[in-house]
Amino acid sequence: MTQIKRNAGIVAATALVLGIVTPLSAGPASAAPALQWEKCTGTGLDPRQQCATLEVPMDYADPDGRKISMAVSRIPSENPDTRRGALLLIPGGPGGSSLDAPSGKGQKLPQDVRDTYDLIGFAPRGLAPSTSVDCGLDHADLALSKLRPWPAADGSVDENMATAQRMADACARNGGELLKHLSTRNEARDLDRLRAALGEQKISAWGVSYGTYVGSVYSQLFPHRTDRIVLDSNDNPDPTLVSRAWLAGHEQGVEDTFPEFARWASAPDNPDRLAETAAEVRPLFLNLAARLDREPIPWPGANPEELNGSVLRQTLLNSFADPDDFPALAELILAARKGTVPPAPAAPPEQVLQNVAAVGAATLCNDVAWPTSAAEYQKGVDESRAEYPLTVGMPRNAMVCAAWPYPPKQAPVRITDRGPSDILLVQNERDVNTPLAGALKLRRALGDRAVMVTVNSTGHDAYLANGNACGDETVSRFLATGERPEADVYCD
């Protein structure tokens, strides 16, 4: 149960317009090699899904130099007579893929949206089956509690700094040249190469989680190549912090979501009831986590092979992304209070974890310079522990970026209001991974380019996932027709 959730977290991302349904792509937008589509390999895919490979520069400062491959997929519009263009399905992460998404979540889109667009998926640079990277990390360092490290039980970050150095050394030793060129800016450039190869003058997109930052950066770098952009579960675009702000947001996201969990966990008809009142759930959880800090429970087959306080807190964070996972979290809490654990399910293949971890780390670390001082991280952890006891400082802690061997090649992209007004943000009010507070900062940065739909719902991923019918209908209408609310709206 929880091991899969932890690994999924690695693999484990945003004026009234009345659109006229006319093709935007009568001819190629620019000189680009045509994609050679063929049947996809793999199981469980829609038989209509096709796959191709696109070559892009490894280093955009040397566009005629070494090329890398980018795996892409599509399911064509289901009604060529009403086809408008192509819809990029931009995955979260970093380290997520949308290569299978045309067959997966793409089929949840309403029929009129599937008629309007070719659905386009891709594996971002560095992620297999695109040209891939691997840091060769120690198996223990693939645990999410190491990749997104928790401080020691006493709040110290010394071990985290040592872990960061060990992991960074492994990436420098094993990662290869491509590792230096993984960044959000380069992913956005890749997507514009993909747009051209598709023969589209403009592109629409549905970006989720980290994909909202990718979509924002694309819209900033290529504003007049955008058509209808949906950003779902939105990242804080702070250009001084970038990924550091995303991680720091978890402390507020947990606080926003915990009351919903507490109400659920204290409901009288709940078979996994933890307490008689919602007010009792918080101290129960805090006391259990503190006990597991002192007395971990062996957990054979998990990584790490014990249920300690940090693993419990990480499981809480993961489970808050989807209310459907509340029961599994409650079952773990109930078992741990008795001194037991559920069986540890099988983890994804080691090769997959290595690849995803490398892509995630390199993108986070290459996008912006991180502090290298243990004292600076210790100060942030101490402040966070005092204000947000549920996450005990983890969101401001030192990860591998604290020792990353490669300085950023360019300053982060500053998201502004310059460009066409063609963006719709959709955001759950209670989102542990991309909290509303950060989404509102993206809304302010985009200014008149965007309107925002705030959804009275709990969980990560709003549109067609953990949102509500009002939000879903608003987004679907925008994608299918171009009609967008005149101003920000609240969907109760």
Side-chain angles (χ1 to χ4, degrees), residues 69-73 91 96-99 121-131 187 190:
S69 67
M70 178 181 177
V72 300
S73 64
S97 171
S98 65
L99 196 61
F122 63 97
R125 60 169 48 211
L127 194 69
S130 299
T131 304
E187 183 173 335
D190 292 344

Side-chain angles (χ1 to χ4, degrees), residues 16 21 30 41 76 95 98 103 106 112-113 121 182 203 207 260 345 354 382 401:
L16 182 67
V21 183
S30 60
T41 59
S98 65
S103 294
D112 55 356
V113 177
L182 302 185
I203 201 81
E260 288 296 306
Q354 290 282 3
D382 290 345
C401 301

Side-chain angles (χ1 to χ4, degrees), residues 13-14 90-93 184 187 205-220 229-237 246 415 423-427 431 434 438-439 442 446 460-461:
T14 168
I90 307 178
T184 304
E187 183 173 335
W206 172 19
V208 179
S209 193
Y210 165 68
T212 65
Y213 185 61
V214 177
S216 299
V217 169
Y218 183 89
S219 298
Q220 186 71 37
I229 306 298
V230 171
L231 304 180
D232 173 1
S233 306
N234 297 276
D235 273 323
N236 181 347
W246 310 339
I415 305 303
I423 300 173
L424 178 65
L425 279 62
V426 58
Q427 176 71 38
D431 184 330
T434 55
L442 178 60
L446 289 168
H460 190 50
D461 297 2

Side-chain angles (χ1 to χ4, degrees), residues 131-489:
T131 304
S132 62
V133 294
D134 186 325
C135 285
L137 299 176
D138 293 344
H139 176 75
D141 288 339
L142 291 172
L144 190 52
S145 55
K146 290 288 185 69
L147 293 168
R148 304 288 185 269
W150 295 80
D154 64 358
S156 168
V157 304
D158 292 345
E159 183 179 348
N160 303 130
M161 293 296 291
T163 299
Q165 189 64 61
R166 180 176 65 251
M167 295 170 68
D169 289 346
C171 288
R173 185 169 59 249
N174 304 317
E177 186 68 18
L178 175 55
L179 201 71
K180 305 174 187 177
H181 300 281
L182 302 185
S183 68
T184 304
R185 184 189 292 266
N186 281 343
E187 183 173 335
R189 289 163 165 160
D190 292 344
L191 292 182
D192 201 55
R193 293 283 180 126
L194 175 56
R195 173 202 56 76
L198 291 168
E200 301 293 335
Q201 295 175 357
K202 294 186 177 184
I203 201 81
S204 294
W206 172 19
V208 179
S209 193
Y210 165 68
T212 65
Y213 185 61
V214 177
S216 299
V217 169
Y218 183 89
S219 298
Q220 186 71 37
L221 297 179
F222 307 101
H224 298 294
R225 296 298 189 189
T226 59
D227 185 21
R228 298 170 184 166
I229 306 298
V230 171
L231 304 180
D232 173 1
S233 306
N234 297 276
D235 273 323
N236 181 347
D238 187 329
T240 64
L241 297 174
V242 192
S243 46
R244 292 180 62 205
W246 310 339
L247 294 173
H250 287 315
E251 60 192 16
Q252 185 61 55
V254 167
E255 292 292 343
D256 290 346
T257 307
F258 196 92
E260 288 296 306
F261 173 69
R263 278 192 285 273
W264 173 88
S266 58
D269 59 348
N270 185 347
D272 299 309
R273 192 181 192 193
L274 297 180
E276 293 187 1
T277 66
E280 295 174 286
V281 177
R282 185 183 182 97
L284 181 153
F285 179 84
L286 290 171
N287 290 336
L288 177 60
R291 192 190 87 191
L292 291 172
D293 283 336
R294 301 186 302 270
E295 303 170 1
I297 302 171
W299 202 357
N303 187 15
E305 290 199 331
E306 64 178 24
L307 176 60
N308 55 40
S310 296
V311 171
L312 182 68
R313 297 180 187 100
Q314 183 66 58
T315 305
L316 175 88
L317 194 157
N318 293 343
S319 301
F320 278 8
D322 186 344
D324 288 345
D325 294 333
F326 285 0
L329 172 62
E331 289 164 13
L332 180 64
I333 291 171
L334 290 168
R337 295 187 75 195
K338 299 175 183 177
T340 63
V341 290
E350 180 97 1
Q351 184 178 4
V352 172
L353 293 179
Q354 290 282 3
N355 182 208
V356 170
V359 172
T363 306
L364 295 175
C365 302
N366 289 339
D367 269 2
V368 67
W370 286 59
T372 58
S373 162
E376 185 166 348
Y377 288 107
Q378 190 66 67
K379 180 175 183 293
V381 166
D382 290 345
E383 292 173 352
S384 183
R385 285 170 68 86
E387 190 171 356
Y388 301 96
L390 287 168
T391 47
V392 294
M394 180 280 289
R396 301 191 214 178
N397 197 10
M399 59 174 290
V400 61
C401 301
W404 195 245
Y406 312 117
K409 293 183 177 294
Q410 291 180 277
V413 175
R414 181 179 291 273
I415 305 303
T416 73
D417 60 358
R418 294 191 296 274
S421 184
D422 56 8
I423 300 173
L424 178 65
L425 279 62
V426 58
Q427 176 71 38
N428 282 347
E429 196 166 13
R430 296 168 296 280
D431 184 330
V432 68
N433 292 331
T434 55
L436 179 60
L440 289 171
K441 292 180 180 179
L442 178 60
R443 172 68 187 89
R444 287 193 290 271
L446 289 168
D448 290 340
R449 292 200 68 184
V451 296
M452 182 167 170
V453 180
T454 302
V455 180
N456 181 13
S457 193
T458 300
H460 190 50
D461 297 2
Y463 181 48
L464 304 181
N466 292 312
N468 64 21
C470 166
D472 290 350
E473 290 165 3
T474 305
V475 175
S476 295
R477 185 165 53 248
F478 172 62
L479 286 174
T481 71
E483 182 182 342
R484 195 182 66 170
E486 293 183 351
D488 295 352
V489 298

